Each structure stands twice: as structure tokens, then as C-alpha cells.
């Protein structure tokens, strides 16, 4: 009896263990599966600005990465596309709160996500007139606007937009704009196929309290031709463009119109808040961020301090607009006549992309201004993938558009963009015909791109004639390139006095061909971020890797005469003293300790470096510590890694010797 009981107990325990184990494996595989589908569709298009929250670091990360959620269940039927399933639940999404779709609808929710690359079921539960909070600062709320503001036509273009999302955009415009300032709403349908966007939409807009008209493109053309069609029919003093998935919040319009009344050459954008593609919650973003473009001309948000440059208003006024080198593209107001005087849009830009770059450069270079008004808040649904088709091919269309913008406006820098953007090349440039736009630039007597960079975007991270552009090579003393480099530097007269970047740049430039030809692809190592993907927002340790691939930009650096070591996406090499609790945090984040990081450029002392041509050391200017290549333990992976650290300088130390290999960037 006793033995039996023992056996039973054992069996029972074994059974329990197996059950637990099976469950455990199941959970893991589900997790892996979800992770795999999420990364598969995480193609990043437009960065959303950072939500407003307390920052951990003095220089805040500026680009939020987000993971797209694709459809994982089966195909859609024609009915799925064409039926409007808007079914508002009172109070759902009120004050911009997130929507929770009931568990019984989760399956459908996944299925319908891919239709628009956002959670349609969540949107379909939110009333068209849902309430939002007042996202303005007290100073903005108190602001008085004069009575004679210009009127505006709001122009919304769309292709296959969801009913609830489009109509919530329209409703928010009507409900949150002073009636006398809103002349009309103009919708332009870029050849949508969904049936609810035909008659049903026409009869819906007929009864609105604000005159609303719809124009339809004969064939799918893209947002530029669609916006041009809308603008043609507009009668307001000002054109205000919005994407078809926005929500205007309280007081959004007056600051825009007031700024244009003050200065008609200003293209003024609202602060773009985030409406979640997942649950449609509305999140306020920073008022003080501004925009620019990376080396591939993708729009990026930045948040380093910027002087409020408007002349009429003092720099202290927190309600004053911020000058921005680049605009996101979708949400802005412009004086109607000024829009045409400045050449409206490049009508040969198709489908999506490039027009925001073109307009930013054109407006600035031809005497206008682009600004963001901190008092105007409009939400936008940020998506991680494109829901619609790209007639002509996504990459071809986008690169053609970018090539047009670059060729007309970027002077010498167009070659840089062509060389280092995948899909772009000088041959794409030859393909596009931009004669008309070049003539426009002549006619308006626009300034050069160099002027734009120097004056409008002095913080920029592009190459320039007085900067170095290329790779930072570790001179291990053995490879041919390393030896040639050291020999050249050592034999320069007066080199011992030259702790100046400018002098180093000149010397490197004069010998660039030779150094380049000596690079040994197998052995030479160049400075690069520790992770395979280039860092965009977070701090990232630095290491060395093969100097080979010229197609990637993560190991290419721009060095300014001032001593900033920058790379794409506004990332700079920074010294991070461990005392500030960085090591501890790093342990959690990257599991590697280093006091040298790639992080958002801020132009402060932590990011300034010296170069000594005599010893080939790069040292941090303030602390006089030298960049050193060391083995470090990665606590998480339990393995040794090479990491670049700042350590006491020792001119004999081979792990502290660095050289520069220039890369071409202009013809
Ligand atoms: O072929 C098309 N036809 C269209 O009518 C393609 C698009 N569209 C419509 C579309 O329905 C939408 O209403 O054009 C509008 C913009 O398209 P989105 O929402 O797919 O673009 P986006 O929000 O991803 O992209 C941003 O960059 C674009 C570059 O061409 C445009 O300038 C968008 O207006 C712009 N959106 C914003 O600036 C919102 C803030 C994003 C940021 C940062
Ligand atoms: Mn959009």
C-alpha cells in the first residue's frame, strides 16, 4: 500500500511537471511568433514626435520607434473593404482616452487592422465628435487674437480613408474652428475604391453646417496632384492642409491664421500630437520640437533648444512660433496667393513623399519661413506601414520624388544624397526632368543650399566644405593603411603644434586617394555603433567593425571644425561620465559599460573632441581623456566585446590611435 502511494505520487508529480513544461513551451512559442510578425511589419515610415513626458537624459531622444502590427489572419473580401462598420459607443475615446476593443472582437480587430494600417475597430467605436482635452499651455490659452483674421479653406485629400476617421477629421475641424474663419472644407478624393466614399459621403457632407465640397481625381495620382486640385477650387484667404486622419484640438486655428496675418511669407504648422494607430488615444507632444531631414531626406523630429527666431516677438515668449528647417508635410497653413507666388508644388511628384522636402527647401531658400506654432495642437494617426498601393512602385516613386527635390534645391549636396540613399543614384537624377522647377528657382532668385544650411539649420549634420566626411579608422599599427597614415602624419612639418581639426582635414584631404587605396577590407577596422542598426534615439555604445560597406551610413561621420563628431539622424559622439548613474542604467539597457556614447547632438561640451596629428589620438576636449579601444564584458551576453572608451591618454598605446578616411560627397 505504502509503495503504491509513493509510486502514484511520483507519477502525479511527473504528470504535473510535464503539464507545466508543455504550457511553458507553448507560451514561449506564442511569444516568439508574435515577436516575429511584429518585426516583419515594422517598416518605419514617418517618425512620430516624442510624447510629452519627463526626460531621463539632458538631450532627449527625439525619434520614437514603433512597431507596426500587421494582419495575421487571412484575406479580406470585397465586403470587408466596402462596408462601413462605424458604430459609435457613447463616451468611448472621450477626452482622447484609449479604446479597448472587447475580447470577442479581437479576431476581427486583427483582421481589419491591415485595411488602413490602424485599428479600424477602435476608431469605429469612437463618436465623431469625441471630446479632447485642451492641450495648450496656460500662456497659449490666455492669448488674445485680433478680430480681423483671414479666412481659410481647409483642404483634406484622401485615398481609401476609413469613414469614421475621415469624418472625425471633418467634425473636429467644424466643431473647433470659429465659424467666421472657416470659409469651407474641400475634400479631394484621390481615386478611392471604397463604395462608402462615393454617394454616401456626398449625401453626408451636403447637410454639414460648413460648406463642404468634394472633388475627385480621375485617376490615382498622389497627394500632390490632389492637393493642387483642392487648392484650385479654394476661396479662403489661407489654405490649410490636413491629412485625412487628424483631430483638431481646441484653439488650433487662430494661432495659424494670426501668424499669417502678421507675416504672409510664413508657412505655419501646428504641433502634431499623436493619435495611436493601436487604440486611438490622443497624446500631446512637445511644443518645442522642430524638424529636419536625414541624409536620405526622411523627415525627422529634433528637440534641442532652438531660439525662437521670429523678429516681431521676443525670444522669451513661449507662445512665439519656432522656426523649423523642415516640415512634416501634411499639416500646415499658407496664404493662398503666396502659395502660388512661390510655385505651389512640384506637380510631377507622384503618390507620396518628397514634397515636404521640396517645400521646406523652396520656402526658406526663396525668402519665406517655415514655423511651428506651439499654441496650435492637431492630432494625427501615425502609422508604421503604408496601407495603400503605390502605382509605379514604392521605391521608384519615392526616389524619383526625392531626386526631383534634391536636383532642384540642393546644389552640391544633391550628389551626397544620391550617393548615400539606397535606390537613388546619379542615374535617377538624369531620368527626371526638372527644367520648370529650375526656372522657378531662377525666377524667384532663391538662395543657395549652403546658405540654407548655414543660416536656417546651423545645427545640421550634413557634410560641408569646412567639415570632414568619411570613416574613422583604428590604426592598429599593422595594416598598410594604418602605417601609411601614421607615416604621413608624423612627417608633417609643425605637426606637433597641430591639435586642430582644420589642419588635420586639409592633410587628410590631400592624401585621401592614397589612404583609400590602401584600406585592407579584410583587416582594417572603423568606428561604428555597437549594434547592427544605426542608433536613432537612444544612447548607444561604440565599437569598431569592418571598414567595408559604403552603402551603410552608420560608420560614416561628419566632423565639424569645432570638434563635433556627428553621423546621420543627428547623432553625435559624446563622453558620458559614469558618475551620473549612466553605468547603472547602461547595464540595464545595453549590458555593456562604456563612457562613450552615440546620442542626439546637442553641441555641448560633452560632445566636443580634439585630434592630435602627432600622436593620432582623439581626445575629449574637457577631460583630456583619449578614445581607446578596449575589451569589455557584456554582462547580459556573458561575453567579451570590443568597446570604445575614454581613458587616460598614453601616446604609446596602440589602442588609442585613430585616423580618417575621407569619402566623396560631391562631384
Ligand atoms: O496616393 C496618395 N493619395 C492620397 O490622397 C497617397 C496619400 N494620399 C493622402 C492620404 O490619404 C493622406 O490623407 O495623403 C495624405 C497623406 O498620406 P499619409 O497619411 O499616408 O502620409 P504620412 O502621414 O505617412 O506622411 C507625411 O509625409 C507625406 C509625404 O508625402 C505627406 O507630406 C503627409 O501629409 C505627411 N503627414 C504628416 O505630415 C502628418 C505628420 C507626420 C509626421 C511626422
Ligand atoms: Mn498621415
Amino acid at each position: 500500500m505504502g509503495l503504491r502511494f509513493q509510486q502514484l505520487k511520483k507519477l502525479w508529480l511527473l504528470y504535473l511537471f510535464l503539464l507545466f513544461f508543455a504550457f511553458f513551451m507553448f507560451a514561449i512559442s506564442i511569444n516568439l511568433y508574435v515577436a516575429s510578425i511584429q518585426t516583419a511589419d515594422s517598416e518605419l515610415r514617418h517618425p512620430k514626435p516624442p510624447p510629452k513626458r519627463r526626460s531621463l537624459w539632458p538631450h532627449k531622444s527625439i525619434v520614437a520607434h514603433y512597431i507596426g502590427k500587421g494582419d495575421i489572419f487571412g484575406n479580406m473580401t470585397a465586403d470587408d473593404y466596402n462596408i462601413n462598420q462605424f458604430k459609435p459607443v457613447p463616451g468611448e475615446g472621450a477626452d482622447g482616452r484609449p479604446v479597448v476593443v472587447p475580447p470577442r472582437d479581437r479576431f476581427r480587430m486583427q483582421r481589419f487592422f491591415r485595411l488602413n494600417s490602424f485599428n479600424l475597430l477602435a476608431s469605429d467605436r469612437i463618436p465623431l465628435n469625441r471630446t479632447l482635452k485642451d492641450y495648450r499651455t496656460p500662456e497659449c490659452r490666455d492669448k488674445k487674437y485680433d478680430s480681423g483674421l483671414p479666412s481659410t479653406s481647409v483642404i483634406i485629400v484622401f485615398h481609401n480613408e476609413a469613414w469614421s476617421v475621415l469624418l472625425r477629421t471633418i467634425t473636429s475641424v467644424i466643431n473647433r474652428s470659429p465659424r467666421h474663419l472657416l470659409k469651407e472644407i474641400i475634400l479631394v478624393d484621390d481615386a478611392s475604391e471604397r463604395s462608402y466614399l462615393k454617394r454616401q459621403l456626398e449625401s453626408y457632407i451636403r447637410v454639414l453646417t460648413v460648406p463642404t465640397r468634394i472633388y475627385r481625381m480621375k485617376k490615382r495620382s498622389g497627394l500632390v496632384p490632389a492637393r493642387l486640385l483642392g487648392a484650385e477650387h479654394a476661396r479662403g484667404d489661407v489654405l490649410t492642409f490636413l491629412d485625412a486622419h487628424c483631430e483638431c484640438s481646441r484653439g488650433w486655428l487662430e494661432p495659424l491664421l494670426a501668424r499669417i496675418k502678421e507675416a504672409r511669407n510664413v508657412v505655419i504648422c501646428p504641433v502634431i500630437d499623436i493619435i495611436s494607430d493601436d487604440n486611438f488615444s490622443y497624446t500631446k507632444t512637445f511644443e518645442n520640437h522642430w524638424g529636419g531631414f536625414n541624409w536620405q531626406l526622411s523627415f525627422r523630429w529634433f528637440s534641442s533648444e532652438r531660439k525662437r527666431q521670429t523678429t516681431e516677438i521676443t525670444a522669451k515668449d513661449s507662445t512665439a512660433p519656432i522656426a523649423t528647417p523642415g516640415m512634416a508635410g501634411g499639416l500646415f497653413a499658407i496664404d493662398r496667393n503666396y502659395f502660388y507666388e512661390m510655385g505651389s508644388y512640384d506637380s510631377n511628384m507622384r503618390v507620396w513623399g518628397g514634397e515636404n522636402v521640396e517645400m521646406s527647401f523652396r520656402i526658406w531658400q526663396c525668402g519665406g519661413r517655415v514655423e511651428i506654432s506651439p499654441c496650435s495642437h492637431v492630432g494625427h494617426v501615425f502609422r508604421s506601414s503604408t496601407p495603400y498601393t503605390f502605382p509605379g512602385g514604392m521605391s521608384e516613386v519615392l526616389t524619383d520624388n526625392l531626386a526631383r527635390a534634391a536636383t532642384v534645391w540642393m546644389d552640391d549636396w544633391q550628389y551626397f544624397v544620391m550617393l548615400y540613399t539606397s535606390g537613388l543614384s546619379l542615374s535617377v537624377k538624369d531620368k527626371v526632368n526638372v527644367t520648370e522647377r529650375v526656372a522657378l528657382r531662377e525666377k524667384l532668385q532663391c538662395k543657395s543650399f549652403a546658405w540654407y544650411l548655414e543660416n536656417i539649420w546651423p545645427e545640421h549634420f550634413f557634410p560641408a566644405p569646412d567639415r570632414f566626411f568619411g570613416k574613422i579608422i583604428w590604426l592598429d599599427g599593422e595594416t598598410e593603411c594604418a602605417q601609411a597614415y601614421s607615416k604621413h602624419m608624423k612627417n608633417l612639418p609643425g605637426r606637433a603644434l597641430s591639435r586642430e581639426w582644420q589642419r588635420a582635414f586639409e592633410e587628410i584631404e590631400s592624401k585621401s586617394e592614397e589612404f583609400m587605396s590602401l584600406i585592407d577590407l579584410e583587416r582594417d577596422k572603423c568606428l561604428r555603433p555597437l549594434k547592427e542598426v544605426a542608433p536613432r534615439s537612444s544612447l548607444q555604445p561604440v565599437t569598431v567593425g569592418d571598414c567595408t560597406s559604403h552603402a551603410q551610413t552608420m560608420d560614416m561621420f561628419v566632423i565639424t571644425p569645432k570638434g563635433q563628431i556627428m553621423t546621420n539622424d543627428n547623432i553625435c559622439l559624446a563622453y558620458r561620465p559614469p558618475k551620473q548613474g549612466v553605468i547603472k542604467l547602461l547595464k540595464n539597457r545595453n549590458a555593456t559599460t562604456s563612457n562613450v556614447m552615440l546620442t542626439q547632438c546637442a553641441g555641448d561640451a560633452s560632445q566636443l573632441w580634439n585630434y592630435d596629428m602627432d600622436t593620432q589620438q582623439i581626445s575629449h576636449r574637457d577631460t583630456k581623456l583619449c578614445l581607446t579601444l578596449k575589451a569589455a564584458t557584456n554582462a547580459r551576453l556573458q561575453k567579451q566585446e570590443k568597446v570604445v572608451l575614454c581613458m587616460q591618454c598614453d601616446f604609446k598605446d596602440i589602442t588609442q590611435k585613430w585616423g580618417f578616411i575621407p569619402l566623396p560627397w560631391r562631384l
Side-chain angles (χ1 to χ4, degrees):
M1 198 51 184
L3 210 128
R4 259 248 187 98
F5 178 72
Q6 283 295 333
Q7 276 176 340
L8 263 178
K9 196 170 136 191
K10 260 190 203 157
L11 269 176
W12 181 234
L13 277 176
L14 187 72
Y15 172 71
L16 269 182
F17 173 76
L18 280 176
L19 201 73
F20 179 76
F21 185 72
F23 178 75
F24 182 69
M25 292 310 285
F26 178 70
I28 284 196
S29 58
I30 287 280
N31 239 326
L32 281 176
Y33 176 64
V34 169
S36 72
I37 53 169
Q38 284 187 343
T39 39
D41 195 38
S42 65
E43 172 207 356
L44 196 114
R45 297 170 73 220
H46 256 277
K48 35 185 172 178
K52 195 169 171 65
R53 59 183 141 81
R54 241 186 57 229
S55 99
L56 268 177
W57 305 101
H59 336 294
K60 252 223 29 89
S61 71
I62 45 104
V63 182
H65 290 262
Y66 60 123
I67 297 169
K69 291 152 203 74
D71 169 45
I72 51 172
F73 305 106
N75 296 324
M76 308 295 286
T77 65
D79 274 357
D80 289 336
Y81 287 104
N82 290 319
I83 291 173
N84 166 21
Q85 309 186 66
F86 175 52
K87 214 193 240 159
V89 180
E92 199 63 284
D95 286 344
R97 279 195 297 272
V99 172
V100 181
V101 173
R104 61 168 191 279
D105 289 335
R106 291 284 158 83
F107 186 80
R108 268 165 38 83
M109 178 182 99
Q110 301 268 18
R111 246 167 67 76
F112 279 86
F113 194 100
R114 117 147 152 216
L115 221 50
N116 311 82
S117 294
F118 54 60
N119 190 345
L120 179 63
L121 259 69
S123 173
D124 279 350
R125 294 173 67 87
I126 307 175
L128 298 182
N129 62 354
R130 79 148 150 187
T131 53
L132 293 176
K133 291 192 191 134
D134 189 338
Y135 302 100
R136 299 169 299 172
T137 60
E139 294 77 32
C140 285
R141 273 177 237 179
D142 288 348
K143 213 158 162 88
K144 298 273 172 293
Y145 296 97
D146 81 56
S147 52
L149 293 182
S151 71
T152 190
S153 306
V154 171
I155 300 173
I156 300 168
V157 307
F158 61 89
H159 175 73
N160 282 345
E161 193 58 81
W163 174 269
S164 57
V165 173
L166 174 63
L167 292 195
R168 199 172 307 111
T169 308
I170 297 172
T171 310
S172 77
V173 169
I174 295 176
N175 289 353
R176 300 203 183 91
S177 310
R179 183 60 194 85
H180 67 285
L181 298 180
L182 186 57
K183 181 106 184 159
E184 63 198 352
I185 297 175
I186 292 178
L187 305 177
V188 185
D189 170 16
D190 187 13
S192 301
E193 292 122 2
R194 313 267 158 95
S195 45
Y196 57 80
L197 292 172
K198 312 270 148 107
R199 295 274 265 307
Q200 193 181 348
L201 180 61
E202 276 162 28
S203 41
Y204 183 91
I205 61 173
R206 220 168 282 141
V207 296
L208 293 173
T209 54
V210 171
T212 305
R213 278 167 288 136
I214 183 162
Y215 300 90
R216 302 200 192 257
M217 299 296 292
K218 289 200 185 64
K219 74 181 222 294
R220 174 78 185 287
S221 313
L223 62 93
V224 164
R227 280 182 196 163
L228 284 171
L229 177 67
E232 231 175 78
H233 293 281
R235 286 170 286 202
D237 306 321
V238 168
L239 308 176
T240 303
F241 294 95
L242 295 177
D243 276 8
H245 33 260
C246 289
E247 283 175 70
C248 303
S249 81
R250 190 146 179 199
W252 75 287
L253 187 59
E254 296 91 327
L256 304 181
L257 300 178
R259 183 63 184 133
I260 289 174
K261 183 177 181 195
E262 205 169 59
R264 74 185 286 271
N265 68 337
V266 174
V267 174
I268 183 97
C269 311
V271 173
I272 306 178
D273 293 331
I274 301 167
I275 302 174
S276 160
D277 55 344
D278 198 29
N279 57 32
F280 278 77
S281 61
Y282 188 112
T283 310
K284 172 180 177 161
T285 61
F286 280 115
E287 264 110 12
N288 60 351
H289 62 227
W290 49 278
F293 302 95
N294 73 359
W295 292 351
Q296 289 77 34
L297 299 183
S298 291
F299 178 78
R300 292 282 180 264
W301 294 107
F302 304 121
S303 65
S304 59
E305 263 319 301
R306 236 174 181 252
K307 278 200 286 296
R308 288 170 203 270
Q309 294 182 350
T310 47
T311 41
E312 293 85 349
I313 316 166
T314 64
K316 284 268 176 321
D317 181 356
S318 72
T319 68
I322 302 175
T324 176
M327 63 195 291
L331 289 54
F332 65 96
I334 183 169
D335 179 283
R336 178 161 51 89
N337 294 325
Y338 187 68
F339 178 68
Y340 287 109
E341 282 163 37
M342 298 298 280
S344 61
Y345 270 126
D346 180 345
S347 59
N348 283 309
M349 288 196 176
R350 300 284 133 185
V351 190
W352 185 95
E355 97 293 344
N356 50 350
V357 182
E358 196 268 350
M359 187 169 229
S360 305
F361 295 165
R362 172 164 48 86
I363 294 294
W364 278 117
Q365 285 172 240
C366 307
R369 308 177 54 83
V370 184
E371 298 177 351
I372 297 172
S373 167
C375 294
S376 171
H377 280 261
V378 178
H380 169 261
V381 183
F382 285 82
R383 305 183 270 206
S384 45
S385 60
T386 313
Y388 41 75
T389 58
F390 259 74
M394 187 184 291
S395 149
E396 289 83 347
V397 167
L398 184 58
T399 50
D400 275 14
N401 291 349
L402 291 177
R404 297 187 68 84
T407 310
V408 177
W409 299 104
M410 293 185 81
D411 305 330
D412 265 356
W413 281 264
Q414 64 183 281
Y415 305 106
F416 174 68
V417 170
M418 310 277 170
L419 285 173
Y420 299 103
T421 304
S422 72
L424 265 180
S425 66
L426 296 178
S427 62
V428 176
K429 179 183 141 56
D430 294 339
K431 207 174 83 187
V432 297
N433 178 355
V434 289
T435 335
E436 272 176 42
R437 300 306 279 180
V438 173
L440 173 79
R441 183 173 165 171
E442 283 286 300
K443 189 184 103 193
L444 297 176
Q445 298 189 356
C446 308
K447 297 197 180 73
S448 68
F449 195 71
W451 173 88
Y452 164 84
L453 286 178
E454 273 162 39
N455 297 281
I456 305 309
W457 194 5
E459 315 92 324
H460 76 89
F461 46 89
F462 282 75
D466 65 344
R467 295 174 170 198
F468 165 83
F469 172 67
K471 306 217 176 195
I472 302 179
I473 182 172
W474 175 47
L475 305 173
D476 69 349
E478 287 183 359
T479 68
E480 243 187 298
C481 182
Q483 284 181 0
Y485 185 93
S486 311
K487 198 168 132 220
H488 176 75
M489 287 301 181
K490 286 213 169 103
N491 289 330
L492 289 174
R495 74 196 191 262
L497 303 172
S498 257
R499 299 204 160 79
E500 251 189 40
W501 285 108
Q502 202 68 59
R503 175 74 199 280
F505 297 165
E506 282 160 25
E507 288 306 331
I508 297 155
E509 202 66 57
S510 72
K511 283 287 195 179
S512 64
E513 305 265 302
E514 183 185 333
F515 299 148
M516 289 269 276
S517 67
L518 289 174
I519 288 195
D520 178 350
L521 299 185
E522 304 276 289
R523 292 177 57 203
D524 278 312
K525 299 283 176 226
C526 285
L527 197 73
R528 49 165 290 163
L530 191 65
K531 286 194 198 141
E532 283 298 318
V533 285
R536 279 263 291 276
S537 54
S538 60
L539 291 163
Q540 209 184 130
V542 189
T543 185
V544 295
D546 295 341
C547 296
T548 46
S549 77
H550 286 188
Q552 282 181 320
T553 50
M554 57 196 281
D555 58 355
M556 296 176 192
F557 295 89
V558 164
I559 306 177
T560 65
K562 210 173 114 193
Q564 286 172 289
I565 303 180
M566 320 170 116
T567 186
N568 197 4
D569 284 307
N570 199 43
I571 301 289
C572 279
L573 196 71
Y575 170 66
R576 289 271 170 175
K579 288 260 161 52
Q580 301 175 357
V582 170
I583 291 283
K584 205 174 137 223
L585 257 167
L586 275 176
K587 277 199 173 132
N588 300 338
R589 286 187 167 195
N590 298 310
T592 300
T593 46
S594 171
N595 55 6
V596 176
M597 291 288 157
L598 285 169
T599 186
Q600 283 298 313
C601 298
D604 62 65
S606 75
Q607 302 183 351
L608 295 181
W609 304 86
N610 280 348
Y611 187 59
D612 189 323
M613 285 164 59
D614 192 21
T615 60
Q616 292 109 52
Q617 288 166 318
I618 299 174
S619 60
H620 179 242
R621 189 165 300 172
D622 261 15
T623 58
K624 310 259 183 311
L625 295 173
C626 281
L627 276 193
T628 315
L629 186 63
K630 277 281 170 287
T633 313
N634 183 325
R636 190 169 49 86
L637 300 174
Q638 291 285 309
K639 68 165 197 197
Q640 290 268 304
E641 276 175 334
K642 285 214 162 110
V643 177
V644 174
L645 301 168
C646 260
M647 299 181 72
Q648 284 304 327
C649 299
D650 172 1
F651 71 91
K652 292 191 297 296
D653 189 344
I654 199 77
T655 64
Q656 295 187 346
K657 309 237 174 235
W658 304 93
F660 303 93
I661 309 293
L663 290 171
W665 64 271
R666 50 180 172 168
L667 286 189

